[in-house]
Amino acid sequence: MGIIKVENIRVFAYHGCLKEETKIGSDYRVDLEVKADLQNSAKTDRLSDTVDYVFLNRIIKEEMEIPSYLLETVARRILNRIFNEDQLVKKATVWVSKLNPPIGGDVERVTIKMTDKRKKSF
């Protein structure tokens, strides 16, 4: 097994429960870690034998563009797409952070973390 990380993906999006959040938007940071068997790609040197981090970044950007009330919903969509679209990924963890959240205090960010594993198919 190996690990691929895509870190500090910065996006502007319109998530939140407050009406203002969906109108003015906020800055977000997304981090992703996926586990996959990287031994074959290490031997073949072919992109088709590994998890393409350009593909992972695209999924994150596309899912962050869809407004949601909760960061948990966005994280779940990201994980679902990764498992549905790349069979090499065995486990994935995503962190979605809202920077400078409007919670009435001096808070740098609020982060949710979600992890899932590929379901075994019989």
Side-chain angles (χ1 to χ4, degrees), residues 2-102:
I3 295 173
I4 296 174
K5 292 182 179 182
V6 185
E7 299 178 296
N8 200 20
I9 301 166
R10 293 173 299 279
V11 295
F12 189 84
Y14 298 89
H15 307 300
C17 294
L18 301 175
K19 201 174 203 177
E20 300 81 32
E21 293 177 292
T22 59
K23 285 187 178 178
I24 62 172
S26 299
D27 290 311
Y28 293 83
R29 171 186 169 164
V30 181
D31 297 282
L32 178 67
E33 178 180 291
V34 299
K35 292 187 179 181
D37 183 351
L38 303 178
Q39 295 304 314
N40 189 42
S41 59
K43 293 175 192 167
T44 67
D45 199 29
R46 291 191 327 225
L47 182 59
S48 61
D49 290 334
T50 193
V51 180
D52 183 356
Y53 50 80
V54 173
F55 156 80
L56 297 173
N57 185 59
R58 181 176 47 82
I59 284 178
I60 289 167
K61 288 189 171 194
E62 288 173 0
E63 293 303 323
M64 288 297 290
E65 287 179 2
I66 302 168
S68 297
Y69 290 122
L70 302 177
L71 299 181
E72 292 89 326
T73 304
V74 181
R76 179 76 262 158
R77 284 198 318 259
I78 291 168
L79 291 173
N80 287 346
R81 286 227 14 227
I82 289 168
F83 287 114
N84 287 336
E85 297 179 30
D86 193 319
Q87 296 303 308
L88 292 175
V89 176
K90 303 301 181 208
K91 185 176 181 181
T93 301
V94 63
W95 293 260
V96 181
S97 302
K98 180 179 279 194
L99 306 179
N100 303 309

